[in-house]
């Protein structure tokens, strides 16, 4: 290692900057992970709601006298 590089790596301001950057990157990664988990949870919740809506629509259609055969015909279009 050259003398200049060695001096820079031992310089307190370089160490401080390095620590600052490492801390900032860690904070950014933590925030990204938190946001990712929030998004995944919301997608899961929306999927469950869609399933519930599909069930409700099917029940309503059955209550109104639509048969499964008619439902299948409607899906073909």
């Amino acid at each position: 290692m050259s003398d200049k590089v060695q001096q820079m790596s031992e310089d307190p301001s370089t160490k401080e900057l390095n620590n600052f950057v490492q801390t900032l990157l860690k904070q950014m990664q933590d925030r990204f992970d938190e946001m990712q988990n929030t998004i995944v949870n919301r997608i899961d919740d929306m999927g469950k709601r869609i399933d519930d809506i599909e069930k409700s629509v099917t029940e309503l259609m059955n209550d109104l006298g639509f048969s499964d055969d008619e439902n299948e015909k409607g899906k073909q279009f």
Side-chain angles (χ1 to χ4, degrees):
M1 194 176 338
S2 72
D3 290 336
K4 188 171 185 173
V5 171
Q6 188 173 3
Q7 279 179 333
M8 287 180 63
S9 65
E10 294 174 359
D11 183 22
S13 63
T14 302
K15 288 181 182 181
E16 284 180 26
L17 180 60
N18 187 28
N19 287 338
F20 173 77
V21 170
Q22 292 298 324
T23 302
L24 184 60
L25 289 173
K26 173 76 170 111
Q27 289 173 347
M28 289 172 63
Q29 182 64 46
D30 291 345
R31 180 67 178 139
F32 179 80
D33 291 342
E34 180 183 321
M35 289 171 47
Q36 179 182 2
N37 290 335
T38 299
I39 291 168
V40 168
N41 288 337
R42 287 184 181 178
I43 290 171
D44 288 343
D45 289 343
M46 287 182 358
K48 290 174 188 172
R49 288 180 181 179
I50 290 170
D51 290 343
D52 290 344
I53 290 171
E54 287 177 350
K55 254 189 235 179
S56 295
V57 168
T58 300
E59 289 173 5
L60 287 172
M61 290 178 73
N62 289 337
D63 289 348
L64 293 173
F66 290 98
S67 67
D68 287 339
D69 293 336
E70 290 172 348
N71 290 339
E72 291 300 318
K73 287 179 188 175
K75 290 181 182 178
Q76 292 174 355
F77 293 110

